[in-house]
């Protein structure tokens, strides 16, 4: 069909972008950055690529481009070759290949008569909370002769103090210890600042670099890089000394080094020489409880280990088993993703470490000071865009990676958001945007002045809560937070049909009038709450919310009609397009083409110009977890509760309706974000003559929900709390009584179902939320100045307005979106590379 050909051409535009120029074999391809050690927001080191950089001609960097000095040399028969870092003074090596899987990046480098395998393993172990919470990553080296001869081989590796802080002027202290068969370098800034960042690096905690203790191991601690590295390359060993002159990290660049004498290497590959690198903070997260009490939370691994050294030594010694588990995980992911397409598998391989690398698993202590392993919360940093904690519209697009690997992790991500809002400390009636403005401080927004995305986040939360239940049959979130979920559903009923001026996840564009994606998401959110109500055995409530969603969907089709027949919003076409396998393949290939185009040098971005192929600033964000949506939709993983791979079991024969809805939304979001939205800034929409009439009938554009701000109208903010201020609360916050179900007054006397939300304290409006219906006892209504829309299509003024013409004739009394929201500052800007320290 003409339209499909047209869109295929748009998607194929990425093919004009040049491929990266590399001289080595890259599997699956050479990306914009290769993950090296990626386990947490503060252990996130990559090898930038651009047109292609070998492991030994570029310094590894933090996700934001700051150098994290990590050097490596191999000595072969007395000649030193660099395998990592810039390698000044060493003989040139040759990079033969790089292979990237979901957990590993493996380089093969030729150094004279030896081929050196350099394996970076960042485990992803979603079903082991202890292992997943360990903030450590592996480096393993092995050598084999490439000429059939025997060679004398020594390995050297070091890290610099640049791992310790984003502030080069910070004074660093260090020590070297031996424990449980492992030698450990430990370093950290002298002036610790808990829960504080500098240029996205933590100013709290310690950096660890460790290796197995053997008779051939030597080390040096705290000496200058220009002293230590030449000593090793000349002598092949170090002198086991510690420099006790603590100093600023940019004062002669202190490094922490190890040298292993491997002995003679021939045609049999040497056993792996294993290193571990990590960054530990304790406590890791500051979280807000009820009554404005703060709680310090620690990483989950503390429940099993009494010290970092114990955890680190166990981690290193577990490498053989960890590698087996990683290979099984990688294989499972590869099989499931290749069932979609080979290009899709390539993208997924680069997505999983990046998604998990923005998260941390935590626990609290109980009253006796012991670890409370039943109180698990997961926190996510909104990397590179704002630094917020558990941003809902960042969790939402990343959600499929958790549904695929272990849906319980999704629960742990939602729990801190739900628990905080259920305390009543957040004054707004819609869902909160994030849990804190600056990671790792999860202190909430008691003034209600978080970045407002009322419809976006309310619908996101309902959809995610539902999909977690559908994937796990775990009712805990539904039971515990039913009142809160009902409040958000009620809000969606009030605004979804005509959202007004609201911000969406495209928040840098500011609030836009009646965005179509918001309207659709809101309607789906209402239906999601219908499913939640059904699970709670509130059949009348479920029926009414479902009727409302169906009514809104029907009205939306009318409101979405452009009588001029000339406006085209490609995002609305997605639900029809994704069923076409050829077009789906083109969409996937366009994302892969961008990732491999050789024009960018930062971890995978979710915001780029589809014409130039240049990233627009976002990098390393966990939203790439959304790339696994196709796998979730297809019912992957294929094995149930695979303990070796660590994957959650998948429902055979398909996925529950709510997850299908979620996946479609995520796919729609990805298409619009990656491919179509940037193009709309430059090119006008195609004329209707280019589009098949049958597709026009099903996918009509619409001025009433103009994403470009065509029809503007001011509204009074909807406020179910009467005179309470939605932005500041005026001291009035929702209060929930989770165990009490209070019947609401209703005209449907025959129904005996309870309401989900009681009247709070005396039904004065603190805990009461207006009902979206007047036909069933759904919610206990607080006093309102006007009725809300009625189920079953009873929104006459809206329908009349739609029939009469443009949206400005709609009655503001029927559609009252929230107040205007603040606009995000410009996207995160990297510090220019000229400002970065340069190692000699």
């Amino acid at each position: 069909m003409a339209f499909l050909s047209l869109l295929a051409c748009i998607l194929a535009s990425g093919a004009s972008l040049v491929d990266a120029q590399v001289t080595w074999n890259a599997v699956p391809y050479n990306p914009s950055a290769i993950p090296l050690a990626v386990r947490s927001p503060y252990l996130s080191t990559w090898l930038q690529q651009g047109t292609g950089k070998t492991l030994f001609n570029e310094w590894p960097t933090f996700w934001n481009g700051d150098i994290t000095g990590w050097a490596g040399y191999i000595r072969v028969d007395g000649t030193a070759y660099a395998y990592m870092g810039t390698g000044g003074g060493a003989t040139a090596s040759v990079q033969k290949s790089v292979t990237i899987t979901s957990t590993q990046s493996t380089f093969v480098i030729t150094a004279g008569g030896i081929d050196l395998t350099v394996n970076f393993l960042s485990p992803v172990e979603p079903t082991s909370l202890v292992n997943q919470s360990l903030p450590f990553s592996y480096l393993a080296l092995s050598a084999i002769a490439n000429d059939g001869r025997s060679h004398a081989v020594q390995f050297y590796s070091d890290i610099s103090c640049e791992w310790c802080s984003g502030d080069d002027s910070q004074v660093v202290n260090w020590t070297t210890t031996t424990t449980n068969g492992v030698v450990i370098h430990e370093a950290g800034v002298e002036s610790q600042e808990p829960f504080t960042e500098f240029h996205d690096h933590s100013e709290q905690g310690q950096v660890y670099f460790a290796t197995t203790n053997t008779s051939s191991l030597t080390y040096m601690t705290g000496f200058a890089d220009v002293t230590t590295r030449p000593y090793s390359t000349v002598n092949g060993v170090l002198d086991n000394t510690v420099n006790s002159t603590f100093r600023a990290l940019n004062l002669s660049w202190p490094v922490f080094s190890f040298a292993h004498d491997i002995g003679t290497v021939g045609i049999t590959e040497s056993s792996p020489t294993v290193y571990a690198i990590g960054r530990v903070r304790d406590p890791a997260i500051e979280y807000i409880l009820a009554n404005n009490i703060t709680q310090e939370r620690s990483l989950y691994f503390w429940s099993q280990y009494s010290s970092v050294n114990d955890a680190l030594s166990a981690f290193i010694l577990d490498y053989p088993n960890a590698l087996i588990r990683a290979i099984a995980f990688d294989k499972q992911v590869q099989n499931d993703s290749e069932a979609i397409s080979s290009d899709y598998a390539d993208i997924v391989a680069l997505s999983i470490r990046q998604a998990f690398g923005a998260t941390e698993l935590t626990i609290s202590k109980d009253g006796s000071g012991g670890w409370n392993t039943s109180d698990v919360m997961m926190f996510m940093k909104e990397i590179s865009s704002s630094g917020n904690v558990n941003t809902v519209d960042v969790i939402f697009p990343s959600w499929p990676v958790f549904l695929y690997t272990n849906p319980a992790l999704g629960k742990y991500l939602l729990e801190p958001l739900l628990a905080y809002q259920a305390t009543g400390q957040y004054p707004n009636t819609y869902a909160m945007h994030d849990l804190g403005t600056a990671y790792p401080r999860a202190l909430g927004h008691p003034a209600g002045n978080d970045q407002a995305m009322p419809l976006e986040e309310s619908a996101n939360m309902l959809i995610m809560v539902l999909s977690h239940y559908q994937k796990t049959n775990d009712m805990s979130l539904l039971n515990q937070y039913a009142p809160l979920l009902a409040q958000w559903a009620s809000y969606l009923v009030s605004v979804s049909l005509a959202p007004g001026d609201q911000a969406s996840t495209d928040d840098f564009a500011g609030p836009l009038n009646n965005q179509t994606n918001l309207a659709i998401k809101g309607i789906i959110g209402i239906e999601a709450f219908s499913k939640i109500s059904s699970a709670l055995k509130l059949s009348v409530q479920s029926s009414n919310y479902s009727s409302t969603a169906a009514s809104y969907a029907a009205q939306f089709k009318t409101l979405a009609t452009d009588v001029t027949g000339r406006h085209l919003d490609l995002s609305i076409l997605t639900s029809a397009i994704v069923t076409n396998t050829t077009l789906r393949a083109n969409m996937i290939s366009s994302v892969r083409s961008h990732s491999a185009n050789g024009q960018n040098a930062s971890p995978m971005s979710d915001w780029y110009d589809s014409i130039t192929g240049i990233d627009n600033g976002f990098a390393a964000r966990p939203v790439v977890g959304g790339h696994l949506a196709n796998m979730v939709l297809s019912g992957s993983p294929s094995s149930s509760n695979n303990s070796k791979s660590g994957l959650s079991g998948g429902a055979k024969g398909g996925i529950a309706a709510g997850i299908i809805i979620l996946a479609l939304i995520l796919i729609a979001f990805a298409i619009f974000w990656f491919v179509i939205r940037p193009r709309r800034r430059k090119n006008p929409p195609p004329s209707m003559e280019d589009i098949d009439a049958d597709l026009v009938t099903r996918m009509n554009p619409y001025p009433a929900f103009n994403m470009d701000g065509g029809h503007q109208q001011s509204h009074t903010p909807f406020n179910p709390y009467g005179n309470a201020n939605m932005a500041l609360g005026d001291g009035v916050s929702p209060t929930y009584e989770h165990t009490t179900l209070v019947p609401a007054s209703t005209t449907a006397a025959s129904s005996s179902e309870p309401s989900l939300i009681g009247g709070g304290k005396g039904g004065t409006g603190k805990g009461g939320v207006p009902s979206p219906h007047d036909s069933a006892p759904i919610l206990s209504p607080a006093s309102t100045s006007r009725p809300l829309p009625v189920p079953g299509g009873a929104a006459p003024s809206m329908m009349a307005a739609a029939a009469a013409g443009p949206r400005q004739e709609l009655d503001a009394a029927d559609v009252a979106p929230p107040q205007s929201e603040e606009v995000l500052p410009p996207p995160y800007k990297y510090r220019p590379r000229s400002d970065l320290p340069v190692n000699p």
Side-chain angles (χ1 to χ4, degrees):
M1 293 183 292
F3 172 76
L4 297 181
S5 299
L6 172 65
L7 189 58
C9 290
I10 292 175
L11 295 169
S13 65
S16 64
L17 306 176
V18 299
D19 292 331
Q21 301 300 308
V22 299
T23 59
W24 53 89
N25 183 37
V27 178
Y29 62 94
N30 213 68
S32 56
I34 299 172
L36 302 181
V38 181
R39 290 300 306 272
S40 78
Y42 303 121
L43 184 66
S44 185
T45 288
W46 304 71
L47 181 66
Q48 297 182 335
Q49 285 300 289
T51 56
K53 299 291 180 63
T54 64
L55 184 59
F56 49 81
N57 69 3
E58 181 79 1
W59 285 111
T61 63
F62 194 49
W63 63 260
N64 67 2
D66 288 350
I67 290 174
T68 47
W70 198 355
Y73 297 89
I74 178 174
R75 232 169 146 259
V76 180
D77 299 329
T79 300
Y81 300 83
Y83 68 83
M84 181 162 51
T86 58
T91 302
S93 304
V94 176
Q95 184 166 301
K96 296 176 65 175
S97 67
V98 59
T99 302
I100 302 169
T101 67
S102 293
T103 65
Q104 302 174 70
S105 299
T106 304
F107 299 79
V108 177
I109 293 170
T110 296
I114 290 291
D115 280 353
L116 175 68
T117 298
V118 185
N119 175 255
F120 297 91
L121 167 58
S122 294
V124 177
E125 304 203 57
T127 58
S128 171
L129 301 188
V130 170
N131 289 352
Q132 184 58 37
S133 68
L134 288 166
F136 306 128
S137 188
Y138 293 106
L139 163 65
L141 307 176
S142 58
I144 189 171
N146 57 35
D147 58 3
R149 302 169 58 188
S150 296
H151 302 275
V153 175
Q154 296 90 38
F155 295 152
Y156 170 91
S157 185
D158 73 47
I159 64 168
S160 80
C161 277
E162 290 158 293
W163 287 77
C164 297
S165 173
D167 181 358
D168 295 346
S169 67
Q170 284 276 18
V171 174
V172 177
N173 296 348
W174 50 76
T175 186
T176 299
T177 58
T178 301
T179 180
N180 299 327
V182 173
V183 180
I184 302 172
H185 292 308
E186 175 184 347
V189 296
E190 190 171 79
S191 300
Q192 296 273 314
E193 299 181 58
F195 312 118
T196 301
E197 293 182 339
F198 187 96
H199 203 231
D200 285 291
H201 298 261
S202 177
E203 297 302 293
Q204 171 194 3
Q206 304 295 106
V207 172
Y208 296 85
F209 188 46
T211 191
T212 49
N213 188 14
T214 66
S215 59
S216 64
L217 171 69
T218 54
Y219 66 85
M220 289 176 66
T221 308
F223 293 93
D225 55 353
V226 294
T227 300
T228 306
R229 291 165 186 164
Y231 190 97
S232 172
T233 57
V234 170
N235 300 295
V237 296
L238 300 170
D239 62 5
N240 295 332
T241 56
V242 177
N243 183 343
S244 59
T245 304
F246 302 141
R247 58 195 184 275
L249 64 90
N250 61 2
L251 184 58
S252 72
W253 304 109
V255 298
F256 313 103
S257 55
F258 293 114
H260 284 273
D261 188 343
I262 306 304
T264 300
V265 175
I267 59 174
T268 300
E269 187 171 27
S270 65
S271 298
T273 298
V274 182
Y275 306 81
I277 190 165
R279 210 182 196 296
V280 180
R281 310 167 345 270
D282 189 53
I285 298 289
E286 186 177 27
Y287 179 64
I288 186 74
L289 300 175
N291 302 314
N292 202 35
I293 297 173
T294 57
Q295 177 189 69
E296 294 182 343
R297 301 184 63 86
S298 298
L299 297 180
Y300 193 97
F301 77 84
W302 285 104
S303 65
Q304 182 165 320
Y305 299 103
S306 60
S307 70
V308 174
N309 283 1
D310 286 347
L312 186 52
S313 60
F315 180 79
I316 287 185
L317 298 176
D318 187 50
Y319 174 76
N321 295 322
L323 182 61
I324 291 171
R325 296 193 300 269
I327 291 171
F329 181 94
D330 293 342
K331 183 178 179 180
Q332 180 74 71
V333 172
Q334 182 73 13
N335 289 343
D336 291 340
S337 56
E338 280 191 336
I340 307 299
S341 75
S342 60
D343 281 354
Y344 181 74
D346 295 351
I347 296 167
V348 169
L350 267 297
S351 301
I352 292 180
R353 271 178 286 179
Q354 180 169 322
F356 275 97
T359 66
E360 295 183 299
L361 275 163
T362 71
I363 53 174
S364 63
K365 289 186 175 181
D366 57 28
S368 64
W371 297 111
N372 183 5
T373 55
S374 64
D375 177 25
V376 184
M377 290 186 177
M378 194 172 190
F379 293 87
M380 175 185 284
K381 179 176 178 179
E382 185 180 342
I383 289 179
S384 84
S385 42
S386 72
N388 292 167
V389 184
N390 284 34
T391 306
V392 176
D393 62 290
V394 172
I395 295 175
F396 183 79
S398 70
W399 193 246
V401 76
F402 305 113
L403 290 184
Y404 175 79
T405 57
N406 181 6
L409 298 178
K411 174 184 176 179
Y412 302 145
L413 267 173
L414 298 182
E415 179 67 32
L417 286 157
L418 291 162
Y420 169 72
Q421 289 173 90
T423 66
Q425 294 177 93
Y426 183 68
N428 298 325
T429 60
Y430 46 77
M432 189 166 59
H433 172 266
D434 61 78
L435 198 48
T437 57
Y439 198 92
R441 295 182 185 271
L443 300 179
H445 297 279
N449 57 356
D450 53 315
Q451 186 187 4
M453 295 185 191
L455 194 159
E456 173 85 38
E457 312 301 27
S458 298
N460 287 345
M461 289 296 291
L462 290 168
I463 293 168
M464 288 189 289
V465 167
L466 172 64
S467 67
H468 169 263
Y469 159 68
Q470 291 179 320
K471 190 72 170 172
T472 64
N473 291 320
D474 178 0
M475 290 279 295
S476 58
L477 295 182
L478 279 60
N479 287 326
Q480 185 172 1
Y481 300 110
L484 191 61
L485 303 176
Q487 175 180 307
W488 295 337
S490 178
Y491 171 78
L492 290 180
V493 169
S494 72
V495 300
S496 293
L497 199 53
D501 289 331
Q502 291 208 25
S504 70
T505 193
D506 267 349
D507 45 12
F508 46 80
L512 298 174
N513 196 44
N514 288 331
Q515 297 186 63
T516 59
N517 58 320
L518 286 182
I520 295 169
K521 183 174 284 186
I523 294 169
I524 294 172
I526 294 169
E527 177 64 21
F529 186 70
S530 169
K531 302 295 185 187
I532 290 170
S533 299
S534 178
L536 291 169
K537 301 190 184 307
L538 299 173
S539 58
V540 174
Q541 177 164 283
S542 173
S543 176
N544 280 290
Y545 272 93
S546 183
S547 296
T548 300
S551 171
Y552 281 13
Q555 294 178 68
F556 175 80
K557 292 178 182 178
T558 302
L559 294 171
T561 301
D562 181 0
V563 295
T564 68
R566 299 195 61 81
H567 182 86
L568 179 63
D569 186 336
L570 295 179
S571 65
I572 197 63
L573 304 178
T574 306
S575 60
I577 296 169
V578 292
T579 59
N580 182 289
T581 56
T582 300
L583 204 53
R584 181 184 70 177
N586 285 337
M587 291 186 285
I588 291 170
S589 296
S590 70
V591 176
R592 185 197 183 281
S593 294
H594 167 77
S595 184
N597 69 18
Q599 300 188 81
N600 303 289
S602 59
M604 191 184 303
S605 177
D606 58 299
W607 182 27
Y608 61 84
D609 191 307
S610 64
I611 305 299
T612 67
I614 303 299
D615 292 347
N616 285 334
F618 290 176
R621 281 164 39 103
V623 297
V624 298
H627 291 157
L628 278 74
N630 281 288
M631 295 158 70
V632 175
L633 184 62
S634 69
S636 300
S638 56
S639 62
S640 178
N641 297 319
N642 188 328
S643 60
K644 291 185 178 181
S645 68
L647 302 180
S648 66
K652 294 184 178 180
I655 275 298
I659 296 178
I660 294 176
I661 292 171
L662 170 65
L664 289 174
I665 295 172
L666 289 165
I667 295 168
F669 168 84
I671 297 166
F672 183 72
W673 184 280
F674 284 116
V675 181
I676 299 168
R677 184 186 56 79
R679 181 173 291 275
R680 292 178 70 247
R681 298 197 302 266
K682 296 192 173 189
N683 296 341
S687 66
M688 298 302 290
E689 289 77 8
D690 296 328
I691 302 174
D692 291 332
D694 61 326
L695 286 175
V696 175
T697 302
R698 288 183 286 143
M699 311 175 192
N700 242 329
Y702 37 90
F705 292 82
N706 188 346
M707 295 187 67
D708 300 318
H711 299 299
Q712 302 292 330
Q713 180 175 344
S714 61
H715 297 286
T716 302
F718 168 68
N719 186 358
Y721 293 122
N723 294 327
N725 184 295
M726 285 185 68
L728 301 178
D730 288 344
V732 179
S733 301
T735 300
Y736 305 112
E737 300 178 2
H738 292 169
T739 59
T740 303
L741 300 179
V742 182
S745 59
T746 175
T747 57
S750 60
S751 174
S752 60
E753 285 193 11
S755 76
L756 283 177
I757 298 184
K761 297 181 179 179
T764 59
K766 279 193 172 185
V769 178
S771 171
H773 312 302
D774 61 3
S775 60
I778 311 304
L779 305 169
S780 297
S783 59
T784 58
S785 58
R786 59 182 179 82
L788 290 174
V790 178
S797 63
M798 292 184 184
M799 292 302 293
R807 185 190 174 283
Q808 56 261 40
E809 297 183 15
L810 290 177
D811 185 354
D814 290 297
V815 185
Q819 71 276 14
S820 297
E821 294 83 26
E822 60 180 322
V823 181
L824 268 184
Y828 179 91
K829 300 296 183 184
Y830 293 138
R831 185 171 69 175
R833 288 305 300 272
S834 60
D835 292 345
L836 292 171
V838 179
N839 285 18

